[in-house]
Amino acid sequence: MRQCSFDVHAYDEEDDAIVSADDRCVGCQRCATYCPTGAITIRLSERDFRLNANWRPEHLMDIKRQAETGGVILTGMGNDKPYRIYWDHLLLNASQVTNPSIDPLREPMELRTFLGAKPDRLRFADGRLLTELAPQVRLEMPILFSAMSYGAITYNAQLALMQAAEECGTLCNTGEGGWPRDFRRFGKNVIVQCASGRFGVDFDYLNQAAVVEIKIGQGAKPGIGGHLPGEKVTPLVAETRMIPVGTDALSPAPQHDIYSIEDLSTLIYALKEATNYEKPVSVKIAAVHNAPAIASGIARAGADIIAIDGVRGGTGAAPKVIRDNVGIPIELALAAVDRRLRREGIRNRVSLVAAGGFRSSADVIKAIALGADAVYIGTAALVAMGCTLCQQCYTGKCAWGITSADPVLAKRLNPDIATRRLVNLVKAWSLEIKEMLGGMGINAIESVRGNRLHLRGVGLEEWELETLGVRGAG
Amino acid sequence: MLREDSALSDRVLSIDTSGVYYRDLNKMLREGVAKGAREFVLRGVTGQRYIGTGLVERVSIKIFGTPGNDLGAFMDGPSIEVFGNAQDGLGNTMNSGKIVVHGNAGDLLGMAMRGGKIFVKGDAGCRSAIHMKEYRDMRPTVVIGGTARDFFAEYMAGGEVVLLGLTLPPGVRHSCAFMGTGMHGGRIYIRGAIDPSKLGKGVIIQELSEPDWETVKARVAEFAAYFDMDAGAILSAPFVKLCPASTRPYGVLYAGRN
């Protein structure tokens, strides 16, 4: 009964019975998981609305709530609407007869990935490299943890992500809400964000990190800013964001010093000057209709990494209408961006990181075959820590201690267990990627990068195959 | 990479910057600091960007000419004095230090500034002093001698901005539109008349309280000292204060739980 943070259960003394307010249940499964007698089962409640394929219960409920409040409807996590998921229509190749497959259990398999600008050509003299190389960061596998701010997720959740990134040899992104001082020791495994609110962005913040990312947009809410409500600005959040306790933390929709590609370039080089050209600078955009042209501009503006977040990308809080209707799927955006940069001969100048709803190692390797250098995982990482996708992150009542604002609830996440689970997930996916690579007769992830010949489409229209640059199966 | 004609003596490094690429110039500054220079005199500056960016030492930099965009961006410590005009992005996301401009400034002056001081003798462009914020003893200060253009001090979350209007002809009001839109913290002090219709949403005009006056007096005195002006004369005209109507301007925007 005490497990529920949404006040579903109550004890009625008179009747000596537990009563449930079913309409408050968000389906987070906390009570069912922790029920000592296994007595709780959560079922989707029967709707009392008359069935209607057009006016579905969600529409009716939303309209009623807005009629009551006059407010914007918020939600958390990624788009839950049934848009086509292209990963489910792309199948991988394997070797048969003509090219032997490789057993990753006895052969070395290379997943190591370097993010950063690569030179157009290398020049040597007397066996010495003359070309000056741009800064690179090394990942032991092409999987990074997405941007999740302290404040949106709990201290323990961010600690677990950073510990896991360090142990796996990959990177974890602080998000735009600053970087708690205690976590600076993970600097080699941390990407810091410079976003429209510029929270906590100072010299130490930029220079302690491995990568600096300019956040232009997010897949769950392209083109809009964010408001961390004052009640969530606790003393430690205030210190991390460097704002007074209890004030709203506003992230304006645009960064007001970036109104053009030229302005973006100015900020990219400001950050490079501030970090003595020692760190790659990433630019993260939401996948939108004109992503290829924008990506070309970003590459030419001097970015070392472009991160693209698709329409299924998660969020701690976003207006539902934006999350569910703005942006395009990562598969199409990634393929189009990769092709555009290749055609322009500038693909080597940037690394591409894809984000937005990666559910399995198969999604990851398919993204790499479509041109990604690496992928960001956010939702999958949260699920590894205990998240059940109840989409209530913005309420601060997370029953699993992941996005909870209440310190008592936040204690429910044991950071060491969460770290272990994250490391296990990344290890398992890495192993599966090696198996799939081996099956293709390939021993390095580099060989499948942008190699669409390893993909075939099923159940896709001609235009979709063309955008993806993939041939139909058979 | 210090050029031979750069002279380092008495910890003062004098550099003729004409024709020097910004990246090389900033490298010279960093190397100069490493070699013990504490004061830089840059002559013939013609649009080099990011001067002072990435410096955390309390050095002083005198600039003769016209520095480029993002002068002092992400700066944390140095004092910069510009004998000329500044361009866009002056003091962008600055953390501490001081910038004094004997001329005008472009757009985005003091954007997202978190600490330190900026004094501009003349006018400032659009989007000046937007999204400034404060935390504990870090309180950014901007004083603009002239007037500013549209979107002045939007999203202001902390610190203080003083707009003196000294370049306005007699009887002419500040004409920047959308002043202080989204303001939810900090203080804006304005000398001279403003047109209430130019105020952004959620901003109200107030009389100055006694502590407000003390702040304004101190800032004006410092301003007047840099530009050799008469503080008393500046303070003799009336001031108003702009305040946020709420520290939670967007608190009622959302419906309840899903």
Side-chain angles (χ1 to χ4, degrees), chain A residues 24 26 65 69 72 197-198 201 203 227 231 239 244 248 250 256-257 259 266 269 273 276-277 394, chain B residues 23 26 30 50 56 92-93 108 114 127 130-131 133-135 155 248 250 253-258:
Chain A
R24 289 192 190 148
V26 299
R65 195 140 52 88
T69 62
V72 171
R198 302 283 157 91
V201 180
F203 187 82
H227 311 142
E231 53 267 22
E239 188 191 322
D248 275 4
L250 303 192
H256 281 287
D257 51 354
Y259 285 7
T266 304
Y269 281 95
E273 285 283 341
N276 202 19
Y277 296 88
Y394 68 97
Chain B
R23 214 179 281 191
N26 293 325
R30 285 195 285 268
Y50 315 120
V56 291
N92 188 349
T93 324
L108 284 164
R114 191 181 303 111
R127 290 173 270 153
I130 61 174
H131 216 182
K133 37 185 104 58
E134 66 186 45
Y135 178 64
Y155 305 106
R248 301 283 321 274
Y250 302 114
L253 207 56
Y254 303 109
R257 192 164 71 79
N258 199 356

Side-chain angles (χ1 to χ4, degrees), chain B residues 133 151 179-180 185 213 219 234:
Chain B
K133 37 185 104 58
F151 315 108
M179 296 171 95
W213 258 116
R219 302 295 173 247
I234 297 172

Side-chain angles (χ1 to χ4, degrees), chain A residues 387-409:
Chain A
C387 169
T388 55
L389 289 169
C390 74
Q391 309 189 13
Q392 304 301 311
C393 327
Y394 68 97
T395 63
K397 290 184 181 171
C398 176
W400 296 89
I402 299 170
T403 65
S404 331
D406 177 349
V408 177
L409 292 175

Side-chain angles (χ1 to χ4, degrees), chain B residues 63 75 114 186:
Chain B
I63 296 173
M75 189 171 86
R114 191 181 303 111

